Amino acid sequence: MKAARDPLVTFNERVKLLSSTINALGLGMVGFAVLRPLTDSIENVSRETGYWAVMGLVVHLLSHYILRYLRKV
């Protein structure tokens, strides 16, 4: 017999998957902002580098906000 899926567990797993995906995007942005100037030259650090870092942190915080939608019952 095939067991029925629990809709609560399915919903929570989808929320966690979405949060993990957005978190990975945010950390990738921060990594791009930090590692790209270090691999080229430290003189390439500009405002754009700061924008990438801030946007990455905002996207990372968005992933934490999404986790608030987890359900208990």
Side-chain angles (χ1 to χ4, degrees):
M1 284 177 59
K2 197 172 189 179
R5 290 183 182 170
D6 184 5
L8 178 64
V9 173
T10 303
F11 176 81
N12 283 342
E13 286 301 319
R14 288 180 179 163
V15 169
K16 289 190 280 185
L17 181 62
L18 177 65
S19 176
S20 296
T21 302
I22 291 178
N23 184 41
L25 287 172
L27 292 179
M29 288 174 159
V30 171
F32 179 75
V34 172
L35 294 177
R36 183 171 179 259
L38 291 178
T39 56
D40 290 341
S41 174
I42 198 69
E43 294 139 5
N44 290 342
V45 176
S46 64
R47 284 187 187 178
E48 192 173 312
T49 303
Y51 294 148
W52 277 103
V54 169
M55 285 304 297
L57 290 174
V58 167
V59 171
H60 173 71
L61 292 174
L62 177 66
S63 72
H64 285 276
Y65 179 77
I66 289 172
L67 287 176
R68 298 172 94 188
Y69 289 103
L70 290 173
R71 296 181 187 164
K72 292 183 182 178
V73 179

